[in-house]
Amino acid sequence: MVAQRVEDAQVVGVEIDVPAAHQAAENCAASPFAGRLSVVCTDIANYEDDGKFDCILSNPPFFEESLLPPDARRAAARHTQGLTGKCLIVNAKRLMRPGALFHVILPSLSKDGFVGQCALQGLSLRKQTEVVTREGKTPKRVLLSFVNDVAPQRPLRDTLVLLDRYSNNRSEAYATLTKDFYL
């Protein structure tokens, strides 16, 4: 999706799970953007790169206090035992250039602690988008955008409503945001 939206982006996916990394590599190879995509199978804490990134995107595991599923791969993908927020933040910071962006999606309840940990690492909140299923509902997810080594300013705040108020159709805003990714 990044390669589709940003014409000159060189995209590196970092995935710790071997089967997931192989599947991602196959998907990348079949993409019209294959020349600008690569997948590295490693733990983010062990990932090394000669340069620094302009942007890091993460959809990390975010279940913290729930019962682990019996499948170890599923547990690692969904629960923070394998990748804590602090580990993600420290390694994102390590891999970022000054002024680079760090985007993450989290449960709303995790937001305050995550934002605080980012501030300790010199990552300033730039934008916060609360994600709600329907207008008037409590946000369950939040999209956060941070900037590296830039003095904090008042972050932009908005809300993304996923479903139309009266039907199960995508809201106009959500449909517009994702239209380029559906056939």
Side-chain angles (χ1 to χ4, degrees):
M1 292 175 160
V2 172
Q4 183 173 336
R5 287 249 168 111
V6 183
E7 236 178 79
D8 59 347
Q10 295 293 319
V11 180
V12 178
V14 178
E15 173 59 57
I16 193 170
D17 182 72
V18 174
H22 286 275
Q23 181 66 61
E26 287 177 15
N27 292 343
C28 289
S31 165
F33 312 103
R36 298 189 287 120
L37 304 173
S38 63
V39 177
V40 178
C41 184
T42 191
D43 185 321
I44 190 68
N46 299 325
Y47 180 74
E48 295 294 333
D49 189 86
D50 294 339
K52 296 274 187 167
F53 289 92
D54 296 318
C55 183
I56 294 178
L57 302 145
S58 182
N59 180 7
F62 45 61
F63 292 109
E64 293 177 348
E65 297 177 11
S66 58
L67 184 63
L68 292 174
D71 180 324
R73 287 184 57 229
R74 185 174 171 93
R78 301 185 75 197
H79 293 263
T80 60
Q81 284 81 353
L83 178 63
T84 65
K86 184 175 181 179
C87 179
L88 174 61
I89 294 163
V90 165
N91 285 289
K93 171 72 175 185
R94 175 178 65 83
L95 294 167
M96 295 170 72
R97 293 178 192 197
L101 299 175
F102 173 41
H103 305 286
V104 64
I105 181 170
L106 297 171
S108 295
L109 295 175
S110 301
K111 177 192 66 128
D112 292 339
F114 195 88
V115 170
Q117 287 184 23
C118 282
L120 292 173
Q121 294 295 322
L123 299 170
S124 301
L125 183 62
R126 183 172 164 244
K127 184 175 181 184
Q128 170 183 313
T129 301
E130 293 183 330
V131 180
V132 297
T133 307
R134 293 188 192 283
E135 194 172 319
K137 295 285 187 180
T138 302
K140 292 185 179 178
R141 301 282 182 261
V142 62
L143 308 172
L144 302 172
S145 294
F146 299 89
V147 62
N148 187 27
D149 293 333
V150 173
Q153 297 180 1
R154 182 180 215 143
L156 300 172
R157 297 182 190 277
D158 63 4
T159 301
L160 174 62
V161 179
L162 300 180
L163 298 176
D164 181 71
R165 174 177 256 177
Y166 304 107
S167 71
N168 281 328
N169 296 325
R170 290 183 193 103
S171 69
E172 186 175 327
Y174 185 51
T176 300
L177 178 68
T178 60
K179 70 179 171 28
D180 294 337
F181 306 116
Y182 290 101
L183 299 176

